[in-house]
Amino acid sequence: MSEAELPQNAKSSGVKPSDTLSTPAVPRHVAIIMDGNGRWAAARGLPRVEGHRRGVEALRRTIRAAGEIGIKVITIFSFSSENWSRPAAEVGELMGLLRRFIRNDLAELHKSGVRVRVIGEREGLEADIGRLLIEAEELTKDNTGLTLVVAFNYGARQEIARAARRAAEAVAQGRLKPEDVTVETIGGLLDSADLPDPDLIIRTSGEQRLSNFLLWQSAYSELVFVPTNWPDFDRAVLESAIREYQQRERRFGGLTAKTGS
Ligand code: FPP
């Protein structure tokens, strides 16, 4: 990522809200299901991996745009628990892209104030990938700009099951009473415990489902589905999804509209 491409919200003075979006209603947390890489490649007669490679470029554009727009947290679904069922060569390519993304972009992300967080199951990952994820989180943990949450080897049901298991262990050890296992207890045991729930979830490529992404955290998220395949995603598409979000009335189960961000 070149200097010119970096997110602008590294320092609060550097925030450059979009000219076309009203700042107060910019969602605080946007989560994205980056779908359609394979279809993008197939439509051009290219191998699927080329779609993933171009997807990394779209990711760089999106991180920069999110910072400029004033989004505080962006979560990206980069590898799901179910993606292991793809052909080994494609899994290998996706692992390689993550390695290269962290090795090539981490220093610049850090310099621009981005805080990297990773959610998902760490066990079973190749050792060097585990180390890179820890390095990215450690290096950037005190940054105060955009928080980039990388959902990697992530599945929402697995995340909820891990939280339930931790609660059960605490009960078994007498550190927690069964009646104290509440929504807050489980929420506090999720990988995302320190993060706000997403205000807006965007899925690209026209598919309309959550596919085991942030199932707990999306209870009151607004969902926007865009036809664009992920490699073509850019600031204009992001802004158009945010404008759709801004038309929605969020009531969080009540009767009156509330601002979610
Ligand atoms: C969905 O497209 C996309 C993925 C399974 C992987 C997303 C990965 C990237 C954008 C690049 C790697 C990310 C990082 C952080 C380095 P698909 O393959 O399911 O597309 P299709 O539905 O058209 O086949």
Side-chain angles (χ1 to χ4, degrees), residues 34-40 48 52 55-56 59 76-78 83 86 90 94 97-98 101 150 230:
M34 309 182 288
D35 196 11
N37 295 350
R39 275 163 285 167
W40 182 93
R48 291 178 58 81
H52 296 316
V56 177
L59 174 60
I76 50 146
F77 203 3
S78 68
N83 285 155
R86 294 188 177 208
E90 183 170 343
L94 287 167
L97 284 176
L98 179 82
F101 177 69
V150 181
W230 176 250

